[in-house]
Amino acid sequence: MTASQSTSTTDGEALTRAENAIQAGNPKQALDILGPLPPSDAVHLAKGRAFFRSAQYAQAAIELEAASKPFGGHAITALIEEAASLRRRADLLLLIKECRRLSPQDTRLLDAYGTILMHMGRFDEADVAFRESLQRRPNDKNTLNLLVMNLTEQGRFDEALSIMDDLRRQHPEDWKIGCNTAAILNNIGRLEESANVYRETIPLAPYEPALRLNHSIAMLKSGRMAQGWTEHEWRFGVPGHTNLPKDTLLPNISPTLNLQGKRVLVTQEEGLGDTLMYLRYIPALARTGAVVHIWGSSTLADLCRRVEGVAVVQHGGEAPAFDYHCPFISLPRAFSATPDAMGAPVPYLTADPGKASQWKKSLKADRKLRVGLVWAGGARPENTGAQMVDRQRSMPLAALALLADVEGVTFYSLQKDDAALQCLDFPAPLVDFMPQCLDMDDTAALVSCLDLIISVDTSMVHLAGALGKPVIMMDRFNNCWRWLHEREDSPWYPQMRIVRQTRFREWSDVVTRVKVLLEDAVQAQ
């Protein structure tokens, strides 16, 4: 080994130790480690991150400016998701101010500034930043894509698509532009147009996982389930899905596949709603003779244990021994060519009998229609994608005030997290037992004693639907694929009624229609 190689190895080890110190919340230690290292982009970036974590924004700006290449994004973009995970997006605006003081003509800082404003929901200000950037760099693809994203966040879909059409004409070889165009079309229900764009775009990058994953979502939304589930497996090429070996992924269930006595590890992959939805496939998996071992969330553990066919439920710890593994979201693909393509019929979840009995006693005196309310999902500000979706699917409780006029109803809050603090904003009495519900099993017991659930698109609709409860789901304009298109019912939950926005981010007409359905439910009681 040469002296230069030895130094490089030592520097790399020091950078790793500094990264570990940053992740452990010890930026001072990181700076001590980084101090003796020779200048490089990696060292400057690490110092910038450490100074940011220490709230030393002027010093952080100096390091990030030193790390920024003349082409590509500014080094500050490397901090955007990190700041979100720390719930410090607003602090990035202070850092950008310092960076712009050092490099006032750097348009990349305008793009970063607009991106952060967009993530914070300050869309008008973000629009100004992106358009100023475009004045300096007309037709820049990256900035135009950011502007399009900001327009779609405001429901200005025609403007966004007009820009994307221009970009496709100018850059017909760029699969990302076609993918983004098709995704917007799919989101707003222009499914055939979306499918046509995907057909033109996929040949440009047939092995690109992000493109194929987006295509799968469009296929599922249009009801092409068997093809969509197969295409959905491309998600394994995108970071953040499973670290388990692909060669032991559960194959499609077929007469020639012998699972007798084989241990199948079923793993949680995304949100609680997905797990609740796909638990319906566990009884069919067990009927193959497989030993079903679920490795998932602690809040769902007790519910999972009562699902027919479950042998073991684990949360936390290390991966156990298994013959095959299968993320919950791959179960529909595995069963797509079998009589169990839609899984077990509802109800496939059951409430704990003892807990449910206690709630029945508590609610025995309530002779009115018992209605559970959920008006917001989990905000998850530390996850940019989840937060942006939640802004669209959630509403303030005050938006449901019209429901309080319906007589013969007792309203029960099923709301968790910060949104539960809005309970006093409802003009009718709102019973709140949620502080007593420590996990989904407790909540399921309470839900089992209610007559109707009215909820936005959260895990609650899956829980109530899987328990066989009537559900009115208040859905966003650009709805999730699983609720299909222009459907008021759901093949997943027969007792669900979907009331969807007719205008982006506008809930008033939804609440008016829900009120009529609620009045009908009172009359039918």
Side-chain angles (χ1 to χ4, degrees):
M1 178 181 290
T2 66
S4 61
Q5 287 175 321
S6 176
T7 302
S8 176
T9 301
T10 302
D11 291 351
E13 292 172 350
L15 275 168
T16 299
R17 288 189 289 113
E19 173 64 25
N20 292 337
I22 290 171
Q23 294 298 329
N26 195 338
K28 184 180 183 304
Q29 180 185 0
L31 289 168
D32 289 342
I33 296 169
L34 295 166
L37 299 183
S40 70
D41 287 340
V43 170
H44 285 305
L45 178 58
K47 285 182 177 180
R49 292 173 57 219
F51 279 126
F52 173 74
R53 292 217 177 197
S54 302
Q56 298 180 66
Y57 304 121
Q59 294 92 327
I62 292 169
E63 297 296 340
L64 294 177
E65 286 297 316
S68 291
K69 299 286 188 182
F71 303 102
H74 193 281
I76 198 170
T77 58
L79 275 73
I80 290 178
E81 289 305 316
E82 183 171 355
S85 69
L86 298 169
R87 303 196 179 193
R88 289 181 56 189
R89 278 197 189 90
D91 292 345
L92 277 180
L93 300 181
L94 301 174
L95 176 55
I96 282 188
K97 182 179 179 180
E98 294 293 335
C99 288
R100 293 183 72 183
R101 184 177 58 80
L102 296 174
S103 300
Q105 301 305 314
D106 192 337
T107 54
R108 298 173 302 173
L109 288 169
L110 282 170
D111 290 348
Y113 181 55
T115 300
I116 296 160
L117 290 170
M118 176 174 60
H119 292 170
M120 296 173 70
R122 293 163 59 175
F123 304 123
D124 290 342
E125 296 171 78
D127 193 271
V128 171
F130 294 140
R131 293 186 190 278
E132 183 180 344
S133 177
L134 287 167
Q135 286 178 355
R136 301 185 190 181
R137 287 191 302 180
N139 301 317
D140 183 82
K141 277 198 301 183
N142 179 63
T143 308
L144 284 168
N145 271 302
L146 291 170
L147 177 60
V148 163
M149 188 183 302
N150 194 55
L151 290 170
T152 60
E153 283 292 302
Q154 300 170 79
R156 296 160 63 182
F157 301 113
D158 289 342
E159 293 177 64
L161 288 168
S162 177
I163 294 172
M164 295 307 293
D165 288 343
D166 287 342
L167 280 171
R168 288 185 72 211
R169 283 191 292 270
Q170 295 166 20
H171 307 279
E173 77 294 344
D174 191 333
W175 68 266
K176 292 181 181 179
I177 297 172
C179 182
N180 291 342
T181 302
I184 294 170
L185 290 166
N186 181 63
N187 282 342
I188 62 177
R190 292 163 61 175
L191 304 188
E192 189 56 40
E193 294 174 75
S194 175
N196 288 336
V197 175
Y198 278 123
R199 276 192 284 271
E200 296 170 3
T201 303
I202 288 175
L204 300 176
Y207 304 108
E208 176 53 54
L211 172 60
R212 301 299 293 269
L213 174 58
N214 275 4
H215 181 223
S216 76
I217 293 169
M219 297 175 83
L220 291 169
K221 189 170 184 176
S222 65
R224 297 161 65 190
M225 293 295 176
Q227 297 164 292
W229 291 127
T230 299
E231 188 84 342
H232 207 59
E233 299 292 271
W234 279 92
R235 72 190 188 280
F236 294 126
V238 178
H241 286 278
T242 182
N243 295 320
L244 297 177
K246 197 169 181 180
D247 60 353
T248 52
L249 183 66
L250 182 69
N252 287 350
I253 305 299
S254 68
T256 59
L257 179 66
N258 183 8
L259 293 179
Q260 189 67 42
K262 302 291 187 183
R263 183 173 292 270
V264 178
L265 180 65
V266 182
T267 57
Q268 182 163 325
E269 186 176 0
E270 293 189 5
L272 298 179
D274 290 296
T275 299
L276 291 166
M277 180 173 171
Y278 301 127
L279 278 166
R280 67 183 68 229
Y281 291 96
I282 297 301
L285 182 58
R287 287 196 298 272
T288 67
V291 179
V292 180
H293 184 137
I294 292 178
W295 188 20
S297 165
S298 61
T299 193
L300 295 178
D302 288 339
L303 267 175
C304 291
R305 289 188 181 96
R306 287 194 300 278
V307 174
E308 178 188 347
V310 173
V312 180
V313 175
Q314 171 185 342
H315 55 89
E318 300 296 322
F322 59 86
D323 298 295
Y324 294 104
H325 72 92
C326 187
F328 271 104
I329 300 175
S330 288
L331 286 170
R333 181 268 304 159
F335 284 94
S336 60
T338 75
D340 295 297
M342 293 299 291
V346 168
Y348 55 87
L349 294 184
T350 58
D352 180 277
K355 294 177 181 178
S357 177
Q358 290 299 315
W359 283 119
K360 285 179 182 177
K361 292 177 183 177
S362 299
L363 275 58
K364 184 177 180 180
D366 183 6
R367 304 292 184 179
K368 296 180 180 180
L369 188 75
R370 303 168 185 165
V371 176
L373 287 183
V374 180
W375 54 92
R380 296 172 64 189
E382 72 284 354
N383 183 313
T384 299
Q387 182 193 40
M388 293 174 79
V389 169
D390 187 65
R391 279 201 299 248
Q392 297 174 17
R393 68 173 175 171
S394 297
M395 68 175 79
L397 176 57
L400 292 175
L402 196 62
L403 302 186
D405 295 338
V406 180
E407 297 183 359
V409 177
T410 303
F411 293 99
Y412 293 83
S413 170
L414 297 175
Q415 186 66 55
K416 280 285 193 181
D417 302 322
D418 291 346
L421 299 174
Q422 301 172 27
C423 283
L424 294 178
D425 296 340
F426 197 62
L430 184 56
V431 183
D432 185 11
F433 289 128
M434 291 308 286
Q436 300 175 44
C437 295
L438 304 181
D439 59 16
M440 275 288 194
D441 197 52
D442 295 339
T443 305
L446 173 57
V447 169
S448 73
C449 299
L450 303 180
D451 301 307
L452 171 67
I453 309 302
I454 299 176
S455 174
V456 293
D457 182 7
T458 71
S459 59
M460 183 55 66
V461 301
H462 297 282
L463 177 64
L467 290 167
K469 284 292 175 181
V471 178
I472 298 174
M473 187 181 75
M474 301 174 290
D475 201 12
R476 57 191 167 104
F477 178 82
N478 50 335
N479 62 293
C480 174
W481 67 264
R482 75 193 73 223
W483 311 124
L484 303 175
H485 179 58
E486 295 185 338
R487 290 275 295 261
E488 295 183 349
D489 64 337
S490 169
W492 304 106
Y493 306 112
Q495 294 203 69
M496 174 182 283
R497 176 72 177 269
I498 300 171
V499 183
R500 185 165 294 126
Q501 290 177 339
T502 57
R503 297 183 299 278
F504 185 73
R505 292 187 189 268
E506 177 55 60
W507 290 108
S508 58
D509 66 321
V510 172
V511 178
T512 299
R513 286 178 281 154
V514 169
K515 180 185 177 185
V516 174
L517 294 175
L518 181 56
E519 290 170 338
D520 292 344
V522 172
Q523 291 296 318
Q525 187 181 21

